[in-house]
């Protein structure tokens, strides 16, 4: 989490809702060293991560003299409308209504959480890959990391072995065949299919078990699946994603936050400032030693965070322990 977060992006009263709230809040803070911090808060109904980067890039181009952005914004929300008539044709675990039958899927109090960021460099990633069998095939760094974090997080919560847990990975629809979203489309264009399993199976099996679940959910992603999501939104009245036992994580390593240039060079850090109780982000980061890697902010209750850190260290004992970052600035 960024230090002095509340000072760098003031929480304007009345801006926390969806209706009747500002669409965008921007604060620029000048630093004594001559640098500055550009902070932005966006109403998520307007845009997703790539859309935010498009907007910031437009600001940067105009700050450097362009009168019109090189990539014009496009609305065209009708491209992702539901079918007529709408019909749910796929299973959507991410929207299932579930009950906490065992009582161990902890509901977290947002006012009593610890925010920490963890750095995964080449050593940590190599240690995790060394645990994987050759039969698993090629795995992206993101798949390895989120499977690892999901497993450690579930262990830390001490979830009943028979509870069903989920992880939902946001998948960008841009470039997907059958939708042809035009360059400049800045609206929300993602789905987050859920991988599900019983907590006991996730915790007792090796890391490859979680990775296979993630790969399976990704393989099921199709044009029909995405259309089924749009239809589900209409049929079920735009439900929220499943809350109990669900962990959402978004890969922002290729979003472009770290490439924005207002005329003074690329940022020391570009990305999300903090995690939420059940939502994390994976972002590119260069630590104080100049090492390139990924940073994942995590938000957990204090005792769960302590167990989470212990599990992280246990699983990467072949290399340097996963490094906690006190500041992303």
């Amino acid at each position: 989490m960024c230090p002095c977060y509340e000072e760098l992006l003031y929480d304007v009263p009345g801006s926390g809702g969806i209706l009747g709230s500002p669409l965008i809040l921007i604060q620029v803070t000048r630093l004594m060293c001559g640098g500055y911090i550009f902070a932005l808060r966006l109403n998520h109904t307007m845009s997703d991560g790539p859309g935010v980067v498009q907007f910031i890039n437009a600001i940067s181009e105009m700050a450097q003299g362009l009168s019109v952005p090189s990539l014009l914004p496009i609305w065209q929300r009708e491209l992702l409308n539901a079918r007529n008539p709408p019909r749910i044709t796929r299973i959507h675990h991410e929207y299932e209504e579930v009950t906490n039958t065992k009582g161990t899927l902890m509901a977290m109090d947002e006012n009593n959480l610890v925010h920490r960021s963890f750095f995964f460099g080449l050593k940590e990633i190599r240690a995790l890959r060394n645990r994987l069998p050759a039969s698993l095939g090629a795995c992206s760094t993101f798949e390895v990391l989120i499977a690892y974090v999901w497993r450690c997080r579930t262990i830390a919560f001490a979830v009943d072995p028979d509870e069903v847990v989920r992880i939902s990975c946001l998948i960008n629809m841009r470039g997907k065949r059958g939708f042809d979203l035009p360059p400049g489309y800045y609206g929300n264009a993602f789905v987050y299919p859920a991988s599900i399993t019983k907590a006991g199976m996730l915790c007792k099996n090796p890391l490859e078990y979680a990775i296979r679940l993630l790969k399976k959910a990704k393989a099921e992603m199709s044009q029909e699946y995405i259309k089924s999501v749009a239809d589900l939104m209409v049929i079920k009245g735009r439900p929220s994603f499943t809350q109990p036992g669900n962990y959402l994580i978004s890969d922002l390593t290729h979003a472009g936050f770290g490439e924005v240039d207002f005329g003074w060079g690329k940022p020391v850090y570009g990305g999300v400032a903090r995690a939420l109780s059940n939502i994390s982000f994976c972002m590119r980061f260069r630590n104080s030693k100049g090492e390139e890697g990924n940073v994942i902010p995590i938000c957990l209750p204090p005792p769960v965070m302590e167990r989470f850190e212990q599990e992280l260290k246990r699983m990467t004992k072949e290399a340097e322990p996963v490094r906690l970052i006190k500041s992303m600035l």
Side-chain angles (χ1 to χ4, degrees), residues 299-324:
C299 192
L300 295 170
V304 179
M305 180 64 79
E306 183 178 348
R307 294 194 295 269
F308 176 75
E309 288 191 53
Q310 292 173 352
E311 189 61 25
L312 287 179
K313 293 176 182 178
R314 187 190 70 79
M315 284 196 66
T316 54
K317 62 184 179 181
E318 293 91 342
E320 295 293 329
V322 172
R323 286 159 279 184
L324 172 65

Side-chain angles (χ1 to χ4, degrees), residues 28-77:
V28 179
T29 304
R30 291 183 179 274
L31 305 177
M32 294 289 290
C33 64
Y36 64 93
I37 297 172
F38 179 95
L40 179 148
R41 176 177 174 179
L42 179 82
N43 190 319
H44 214 323
T45 60
M46 290 297 297
S47 178
D48 56 11
V52 172
V53 173
Q54 178 185 334
F55 174 71
I56 299 175
N57 277 327
I59 295 177
S60 71
E61 290 180 337
M62 297 177 76
Q64 296 182 70
L66 288 185
S67 59
V68 178
S70 60
L71 182 60
L72 294 176
I74 292 178
W75 179 258
Q76 292 187 15
R77 298 300 197 267

Side-chain angles (χ1 to χ4, degrees), residues 44-215:
H44 214 323
T45 60
M46 290 297 297
S47 178
D48 56 11
V52 172
V53 173
Q54 178 185 334
F55 174 71
I56 299 175
N57 277 327
I59 295 177
S60 71
E61 290 180 337
M62 297 177 76
Q64 296 182 70
L66 288 185
S67 59
V68 178
S70 60
L71 182 60
L72 294 176
I74 292 178
W75 179 258
Q76 292 187 15
R77 298 300 197 267
E78 70 279 2
L79 294 174
L80 298 178
N81 279 352
R83 294 171 289 196
N84 187 18
R87 51 195 184 276
I88 301 173
T89 56
R90 293 291 186 269
I91 297 174
H92 299 284
H93 295 298
E94 63 273 26
Y95 293 110
E96 289 178 336
E97 296 182 12
V98 299
T99 56
N100 188 359
T101 56
K102 301 291 182 180
T104 58
L105 295 177
M106 184 184 298
M108 291 186 277
D109 179 3
E110 293 284 353
N111 297 317
N112 185 34
L113 297 175
V114 177
H115 300 260
R116 291 178 183 168
S117 297
F118 297 89
F119 178 77
F120 300 87
L122 294 177
K123 292 181 179 179
E124 292 83 9
I125 295 170
R126 182 169 59 246
L128 295 174
R129 289 190 179 278
N130 287 341
R131 289 176 170 268
L132 305 177
S135 60
L136 184 60
C139 301
S140 69
T141 296
F142 180 65
E143 289 171 339
V144 174
L145 287 181
I146 60 174
Y148 168 55
V149 170
W150 180 35
R151 187 177 183 276
C152 292
R153 187 177 182 274
T154 304
I155 293 173
F157 269 112
V159 180
D160 185 282
D162 289 328
E163 290 275 27
V164 174
V165 292
R166 292 168 166 77
I167 186 168
S168 295
C169 301
L170 275 68
I171 296 179
N172 188 355
M173 293 162 52
R174 291 170 177 80
K176 300 291 184 183
R177 286 188 301 175
F179 292 95
D180 301 321
L181 295 179
Y185 184 88
Y186 62 90
N188 288 287
F190 64 86
V191 290
Y192 37 82
S195 302
I196 68 171
T197 183
K198 286 189 174 182
M201 293 294 291
L202 177 63
C203 297
K204 75 179 182 181
N205 277 295
L207 184 61
E208 65 176 285
Y209 175 80
I211 294 177
R212 291 187 187 278
L213 290 175
L214 294 170
K215 284 180 170 291

